[in-house]
Amino acid sequence: LCCVVDQESLLVSTMKVLVGVKRVVDYAVKIRIKGDKSAVETANVKMSMNPFCEIAVEEAIRLKEKKSAKEVIAVSIGPKQSVETIRTALAMGADRGIHVTTDMRTDQEVQPLAIAKVFAKLIEEEKPDLVILGKQSIDDDSNQTGQMLAGLMDWPQATFANELTFGDDGTISVKREIDGGLQTVSASLPAVVTADLRLNQPRYATLPNIMKAKKKKVDSKALADMGVDVEPRFTVTEVSDPPTRQAGSVV
Amino acid sequence: DPTKMAALRVIQKLARTVPPRCLSVSWMSSHASAKSAGHPVSEVVMPLTVLSEDEQMMRDTVAKFAKEKIGPLVREMDQNSKMDDSVLQGLFENGLMGVEVEAEYGGTDSTFFSSCLVVEELARVDPSVAVLVDIQNTLIVTSLRLHGTEEQKQKYLPRLAADTIGSFCLSETESGSDAFALRTRADKKGDYWVINGSKMWISNSEQAGLFLVFANADSSQGYKGISTFLVDRDTPGLTIDKHEDKLGIRASSTCPVHFEDVKIPESNLLGTLGHGYKYAIGLLNEGRIGIAAQMVGLAQGCFDYVVPYTMERKQFGQSIFNFQAMQHQISDVATEIEAARLLVYNAARLREAGRPFIKQAAMAKYYAAEVAAKTTAKSLEWMGGVGFTKDYPVEKFYRDCKIGAIYEGTNNIQLSTIARYLKQEWQQ
């Protein structure tokens, strides 16, 4: 991991954090497959913010409360209803939102590489010091976007974050959940962090904050206008239910 | 373009009668889409069950909070007849106790309809918590917002939004439906009032920090002497008796409250002397929409639990849901819950739009209470033996629903109110 310290991004009090929030089928909903087996049924199904994105937003807000961050920007790529997901992030405490609109299916067609490229483009414009993403989304379970983004930007990455702390010297120290236990890494900023389950307990968007969130700004831009190659690299040929459980047999 | 002008006039008219924050973005955007569908649109009317973005977000957040923070404690709170402090704290922290309180007083700055939604969502999990929030919002906060002086608002609204529970003290042992026969007295002594009397069946009183008390300041005027007073809990002479051991909504404390030479400064008179009876009627006319919302939430919460059970439970080789008799009963109840909800939403929207709503509010409360009773009774039957045990939540819903036909105006009072309006409409 790169340990070169960039003096500009040491200005912690002006730190900008970009957080990704994805609109997915609510975790409690029983998933149904479309009749033609082409995809998961999402029409008239309850949608919510991806749970790992909630954790990412919560971490960013906590950084703001600790005065480590100045501004938190929530980004969502998706259909027009994704603005509701951004509003939830705003209601949790994010300062403003960016909505990249697309009618492509975000669980199959807009793939992690494309998302990473969109984020890279936004990073060029917004110049954040830290990007926090959920480790994966519960619809495609790719667990690739954060890693690909770090690769594209040539930034350090700290994935599966269980704990995030700031050092005085403008570095971050992240405890990662790995198969064998916990691994601590340190990285200089700017960096990509992906949030794992135990990083924090996301707060509820309180009712007063939901009302206040209405006044916060959300910029909208079309995915097609971003000049990013979002061509799918693979096609989903079939989505089907797992085989029904058979009774076990006594050996 | 005459169509556009007509639509614009409707929106403007709506805007004049409805406070700015009641108009929601989705109404405007649906207007735009209706136009683009190519049909001439003279006015856009949305289905009752379509909520604005804020309302939807609030409902989701309350549903989540109720499921995660209240759900696990419901059984214990019912058994011990005690509301858990963590629940009370959570209600305040999430802004559920001052839904209509303006932001400048530290409130949520939202609408009456939102508070009904909050009550409905809470009632799906625990009607006891729902009634506490309903009284706070629709009776206590509303009375201050409507009748309070700026000083009173500055003093009490922030507290009500942040940490103080309010109690509505109207009923007495000798005056329930006949509320104006109340006997609690308020005597003027110089620049303060002295209150003497006893109130009965006062909800939230065990935890309340503020009491809204209806007392007669001039019995020679009959009910026109009834006035409204603000009494802080720590005022000497105010005592709260042990809570009642109730059939249902047990976690909501219901106690007698005694006033023995309770002295309050004259600045604690709310509104105009002798207008208390008017305020009480007005507050209860609105408040009963909140109770109706509670009953709808209760019915829905019960129904949501039972239907999956009927699909799992197998008898005679199939889910009991598959039997036609069961399907008919279940569909009948589902229809009634939907109808009750529409009555509630419509009454709330009418009230928000500044249109006449009292008849509809009475209908909503009466009908929702009946539907809740039918839903819970039927749900118990569908569950069979297990429903009859305390291990399952249905028996609690069954016990909780009965109060709906009694408090904030009994069923008979609601029917009499509706008849009064029908008489006005149809009188030759």
Side-chain angles (χ1 to χ4, degrees):
Chain A
L1 287 154
C2 168
C3 292
V4 170
V5 172
D6 176 0
Q7 287 295 328
E8 258 102 277
S9 50
L10 270 185
L11 296 171
V12 175
S13 60
T14 59
M15 188 172 77
K16 217 190 229 190
V17 182
L18 212 65
V19 183
V21 295
K22 187 178 180 185
R23 180 173 179 268
V24 299
V25 174
D26 185 85
Y27 78 92
V29 165
K30 188 167 193 299
I31 303 290
R32 263 178 265 274
I33 313 289
K34 286 171 80 157
D36 60 1
K37 292 203 180 180
S38 63
V40 163
E41 183 62 77
T42 51
N44 297 318
V45 166
K46 178 159 195 256
M47 308 289 276
S48 310
M49 190 190 292
N50 180 38
F52 295 108
C53 296
E54 269 181 18
I55 297 174
V57 173
E58 174 64 26
E59 197 62 22
I61 307 302
R62 289 190 188 187
L63 290 177
K64 233 182 68 163
E65 287 172 348
K66 280 188 254 182
K67 309 261 193 262
S68 299
K70 178 99 188 292
E71 192 185 19
V72 174
I73 307 164
V75 178
S76 193
I77 297 141
K80 70 174 187 327
Q81 298 95 322
S82 288
V83 77
E84 290 162 23
T85 314
I86 296 177
R87 287 225 189 278
T88 307
L90 295 174
M92 284 171 74
D95 297 291
R96 62 183 166 91
I98 302 175
H99 180 198
V100 180
T101 58
T102 176
D103 284 320
M104 290 167 74
R105 281 192 76 106
T106 49
D107 61 346
Q108 286 180 191
E109 292 167 17
V110 194
Q111 292 162 6
L113 183 58
I115 302 290
K117 288 182 179 173
V118 171
F119 267 89
K121 196 76 198 291
L122 292 173
I123 287 172
E124 257 176 59
E125 295 164 14
E126 295 286 341
K127 301 193 190 352
D129 306 279
L130 181 63
V131 176
I132 313 181
L133 303 176
K135 72 171 179 180
Q136 66 199 60
S137 63
I138 61 173
D139 49 11
D140 56 76
D141 286 311
S142 297
N143 183 2
Q144 295 171 359
T145 309
Q147 292 88 331
M148 286 177 170
L149 177 60
L152 287 173
M153 300 300 304
D154 198 23
W155 281 10
Q157 58 180 272
T159 55
F160 311 113
N162 171 297
E163 195 181 295
L164 169 64
T165 26
F166 271 76
D168 293 321
D169 50 358
T171 61
I172 51 169
S173 171
V174 180
K175 274 208 186 87
R176 304 177 59 227
E177 299 200 12
I178 60 173
D179 288 344
L182 293 171
Q183 178 198 62
T184 310
V185 299
S186 73
S188 62
L189 296 178
V192 176
V193 171
T194 73
D196 208 327
L197 190 62
R198 281 157 284 272
L199 179 59
N200 60 50
Q201 248 305 327
R203 66 195 60 197
Y204 297 112
T206 68
L207 266 49
N209 286 343
I210 290 174
M211 295 302 288
K212 285 186 200 146
K214 284 206 296 199
K215 304 194 187 99
K216 296 184 182 177
K217 195 157 135 323
V218 178
D219 288 313
S220 192
K221 35 188 119 192
L223 181 62
D225 297 339
M226 289 201 69
V228 169
D229 171 15
V230 296
E231 267 308 299
R233 295 303 200 255
F234 59 84
T235 22
V236 173
T237 53
E238 189 191 287
V239 180
S240 52
D241 284 303
T244 42
R245 273 188 76 175
Q246 300 298 319
S249 57
V250 179
V251 171
Chain B
D1 172 11
T3 308
K4 188 174 172 187
M5 286 311 293
L8 217 53
R9 252 180 273 128
V10 172
I11 303 281
Q12 279 167 351
K13 190 165 158 196
L14 255 179
R16 270 201 290 277
T17 53
V18 174
R21 66 191 190 205
C22 293
L23 272 183
S24 52
V25 174
S26 65
W27 288 63
M28 306 298 273
S29 61
S30 68
H31 163 72
S33 61
K35 276 207 77 178
S36 64
H39 306 292
V41 171
S42 57
E43 61 183 276
V44 178
V45 182
M46 291 295 278
L48 273 176
T49 46
V50 172
L51 307 177
S52 73
E53 203 183 288
D54 302 330
E55 289 164 351
Q56 193 57 56
M57 281 180 72
M58 288 198 195
R59 151 173 274 177
D60 290 343
T61 221
V62 175
K64 193 169 169 206
F65 168 75
K67 180 172 163 197
E68 292 173 11
K69 297 289 176 190
I70 304 177
L73 300 170
V74 172
R75 176 125 181 250
E76 186 190 310
M77 296 196 296
D78 180 62
Q79 246 158 15
N80 301 336
S81 202
K82 184 167 184 340
M83 185 95 54
D84 198 280
D85 285 333
S86 70
V87 170
L88 293 172
Q89 209 185 346
L91 293 172
F92 282 113
E93 274 170 17
N94 284 286
L96 307 187
M97 297 293 263
V99 177
E100 285 188 86
V101 176
E102 290 86 349
E104 67 195 271
Y105 301 111
T108 294
D109 207 26
S110 188
T111 63
F112 176 71
F113 191 86
S114 294
S115 49
C116 291
L117 279 181
V118 169
V119 170
E120 187 190 342
E121 282 305 313
L122 289 171
R124 282 191 191 207
V125 172
D126 191 350
S128 306
V129 179
V131 74
L132 185 145
V133 172
D134 172 71
I135 290 171
Q136 179 90 350
N137 281 289
T138 65
L139 295 179
I140 313 295
V141 163
T142 302
S143 62
L144 271 156
R145 286 182 70 237
L146 287 179
H147 310 300
T149 61
E150 191 52 43
E151 288 77 24
Q152 288 168 334
K153 286 184 189 177
Q154 301 250 359
K155 181 171 179 197
Y156 291 109
L157 287 178
R159 283 174 56 194
L160 289 171
D163 56 24
T164 306
I165 295 174
S167 266
F168 190 79
C169 303
L170 177 64
S171 294
E172 300 178 2
T173 50
E174 307 303 310
S175 56
S177 294
D178 189 6
F180 297 163
L182 64 86
R183 295 197 199 159
T184 301
R185 278 184 357 260
D187 301 307
K188 192 89 191 293
K189 300 251 155 80
D191 56 0
Y192 54 90
W193 290 93
V194 179
I195 302 182
N196 276 287
S198 285
K199 294 293 183 183
M200 192 73 175
W201 314 116
I202 307 305
S203 297
N204 310 343
S205 43
E206 211 169 69
Q207 294 93 354
L210 175 67
F211 294 79
L212 198 74
V213 184
F214 290 84
N216 203 317
D218 186 357
S219 43
S220 71
Q221 300 279 336
Y223 65 86
K224 295 194 178 167
I226 297 175
S227 310
T228 321
F229 300 93
L230 296 161
V231 184
D232 287 276
R233 188 196 186 90
D234 52 12
T235 314
L238 191 160
T239 45
I240 297 135
D241 252 345
K242 199 164 98 60
H243 64 250
E244 305 287 343
D245 187 13
K246 304 194 299 292
L247 169 71
I249 55 163
R250 290 170 57 80
S252 161
S253 61
T254 309
C255 320
V257 180
H258 304 295
F259 298 85
E260 224 178 287
D261 289 332
V262 173
K263 282 209 213 27
I264 50 167
E266 59 183 353
S267 55
N268 276 33
L269 168 69
L270 185 69
T272 312
L273 197 63
H275 281 201
Y277 74 97
K278 277 194 222 174
Y279 301 162
I281 300 179
L283 290 165
L284 290 170
N285 278 338
E286 293 182 13
R288 64 186 46 132
I289 303 176
I291 294 296
Q294 181 207 24
M295 288 293 122
V296 169
L298 189 162
Q300 192 70 57
C302 182
F303 189 77
D304 288 348
Y305 185 84
V306 164
V307 174
Y309 177 85
T310 63
M311 293 178 174
E312 268 179 38
R313 171 74 176 172
K314 290 189 165 52
Q315 287 288 269
F316 306 108
Q318 54 180 314
S319 310
I320 58 177
F321 183 86
N322 286 350
F323 294 109
Q324 192 178 59
M326 287 292 288
Q327 289 189 346
H328 285 189
Q329 290 178 7
I330 292 171
S331 302
D332 182 41
V333 166
T335 306
E336 295 207 358
I337 299 176
E338 178 84 356
R341 176 171 291 116
L342 295 176
L343 275 170
V344 174
Y345 284 14
N346 193 46
R349 293 285 190 209
L350 283 170
R351 160 25 189 104
E352 260 185 6
R355 289 166 181 257
F357 70 94
I358 296 172
K359 180 183 78 166
Q360 291 83 348
M363 288 174 160
K365 200 253 182 190
Y366 161 69
Y367 194 70
E370 293 287 282
V371 168
K374 179 171 171 182
T375 304
T376 54
K378 276 281 172 259
S379 297
L380 256 184
E381 289 175 28
W382 300 332
M383 293 267 314
V386 299
F388 207 65
T389 70
K390 283 189 182 274
D391 297 320
Y392 292 78
V394 179
E395 61 83 30
K396 178 176 180 291
F397 281 119
Y398 180 74
R399 287 184 287 110
D400 284 348
C401 77
K402 206 60 219 165
I403 193 65
I406 299 171
Y407 65 6
E408 275 199 50
T410 62
N411 272 4
N412 287 342
I413 292 290
Q414 303 307 334
L415 290 169
S416 295
T417 303
I418 297 166
R420 230 181 23 246
Y421 281 87
L422 293 175
K423 190 170 178 190
Q424 275 175 23
E425 287 168 37
W426 295 95
Q427 190 108 72
Q428 296 304 321

